[in-house]
């Protein structure tokens, strides 16, 4: 049971942490700085709904070690796992011989998850899967590969520029995701660009295809905007795993819980657990 006021009023049932569904991952420092006082404020009020905290854009590489480890410690205090975000792309292209040193340093600093993304890179699936295998087997940190259907994804590039790059066949992303799961990954991040972000028309068919082929329990969908996470909740239910900006955690949880919503979701978002002994 979650701890909340007005507990006598309706609230969709939520699994307690560590959750296997209804996972919420939030963005940490990227669009603006975030220190331990702001993070503690977020987690003191909404921490029971936050499962993963993600450093984006390699922001940790700009900060003193004490600041990074303090943010990680605050997260762990509230049973929130911490992810590196997809900075491995920068390591691969600029410091190719230091990839495993990057994994070692992430483990040493206390990260729980290393995200393995390749949206900006022309790199083979075998190489990406090999990284998943190495992290899963050799480090006390979880691999979290990202799959995508848009070359150049990951940097909020204008839709016209991404269209010029061309989209990949969703089957390729699905096959890569399947191989990552077989190699030891528990969760996959699904990049929003090319599906619901920075596109002239949403590719909801791709979201359905990926979910049906790989299983929504194995996926965290990027949904960097209320209209995006509302669509996922309407079509997959309130226990879909989502990644949102930290500024959106309250709106998302109000929608998951059935407490509030928009015109098309208000009063319609429900769960049903049955009465099994």
């Amino acid at each position: 049971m979650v701890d909340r006021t007005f507990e006598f009023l309706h609230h969709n049932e939520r699994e307690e942490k560590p959750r296997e569904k209804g996972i919420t991952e939030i963005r940490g420092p990227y669009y603006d700085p975030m220190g331990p006082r702001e993070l503690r404020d977020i987690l003191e009020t909404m921490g029971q709904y936050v499962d993963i905290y993600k450093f984006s854009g390699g922001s940790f590489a700009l900060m003193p070690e004490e600041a990074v480890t303090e943010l990680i410690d605050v997260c762990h205090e509230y049973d929130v796992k911490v992810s590196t975000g997809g900075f491995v792309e920068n390591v691969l292209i600029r410091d190719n011989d230091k990839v495993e040193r990057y994994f070692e340093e992430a483990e040493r600093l206390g990260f729980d998850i290393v995200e393995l993304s390749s949206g900006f890179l022309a790199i083979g699936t075998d190489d990406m899967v090999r990284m998943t295998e190495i992290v899963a087997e050799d480090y006390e940190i979880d691999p979290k590969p990202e799959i995508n259907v848009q070359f150049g994804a990951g940097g909020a590039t204008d839709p016209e520029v991404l269209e010029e790059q061309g989209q990949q066949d969703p089957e390729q992303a699905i096959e890569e995701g399947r191989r990552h799961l077989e190699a030891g990954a528990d969760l996959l991040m699904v990049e929003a660009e090319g599906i619901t972000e920075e596109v002239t028309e949403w590719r909801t068919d791709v979201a359905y295809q990926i979910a049906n082929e790989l299983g929504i329990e194995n996926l965290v969908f990027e949904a960097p905007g209320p209209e995006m996470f509302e669509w996922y909740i309407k079509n997959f239910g309130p226990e879909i795993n989502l990644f949102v900006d930290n500024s959106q955690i309250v709106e998302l949880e109000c929608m998951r819980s059935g407490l509030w919503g928009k015109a098309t979701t208000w009063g319609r978002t429900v769960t049903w657990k049955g009465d099994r002994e």
Side-chain angles (χ1 to χ4, degrees), residues 156-177:
T157 307
D158 290 339
E160 295 76 17
V161 176
L162 289 179
E163 283 183 359
E164 291 176 1
Q165 299 287 334
Q167 286 204 339
Q168 300 165 351
D169 187 336
E171 284 295 340
Q172 180 178 342
I174 290 167
E175 179 57 27
E176 180 176 343

Side-chain angles (χ1 to χ4, degrees), residues 113-177:
I113 297 167
V114 59
E115 185 176 306
L116 303 172
S117 61
S118 61
F120 283 126
L121 305 180
I123 185 170
T125 298
D126 287 350
D127 291 351
M128 295 302 299
V129 172
R130 189 176 301 113
M131 279 195 290
T132 295
E133 290 174 340
I134 288 172
V135 173
E137 293 174 3
D138 298 344
Y139 297 93
E140 294 298 319
I141 190 167
D142 295 328
K144 186 158 176 275
E146 180 184 80
I147 58 174
N148 62 79
V149 296
Q150 176 66 64
F151 186 82
T157 307
D158 290 339
E160 295 76 17
V161 176
L162 289 179
E163 283 183 359
E164 291 176 1
Q165 299 287 334
Q167 286 204 339
Q168 300 165 351
D169 187 336
E171 284 295 340
Q172 180 178 342
I174 290 167
E175 179 57 27
E176 180 176 343

Side-chain angles (χ1 to χ4, degrees), residues 196-212:
T196 58
E197 185 184 17
E198 307 303 341
V199 289
T200 54
E201 185 176 340
W202 283 13
R203 292 290 312 281
T204 55
D205 59 314
V206 173
Y208 284 124
Q209 189 175 354
I210 291 173
N212 290 336

Side-chain angles (χ1 to χ4, degrees), residues 202 223-232 248 251 255 262:
W202 283 13
E227 71 284 358
M228 298 180 201
F229 59 71
E230 183 192 31
W231 182 87
Y232 278 106
Q248 298 162 342
E251 184 174 5
M255 199 174 292
K262 297 186 182 296

Side-chain angles (χ1 to χ4, degrees), residues 97-116:
D97 60 334
K98 296 182 177 66
V99 170
E100 290 208 50
R101 184 174 175 185
Y102 169 70
F103 298 154
E104 292 168 4
E105 184 69 356
E107 181 182 66
R108 185 186 72 81
L109 290 170
F111 283 90
D112 305 284
I113 297 167
V114 59
E115 185 176 306
L116 303 172

Side-chain angles (χ1 to χ4, degrees), residues 36-51:
R37 287 176 290 278
E38 181 183 359
L39 176 59
R40 188 174 291 279
D41 283 345
I42 292 172
L43 297 183
E44 279 182 355
T45 55
M46 298 295 291
Q48 58 191 332
Y49 308 112
V50 177
D51 302 277

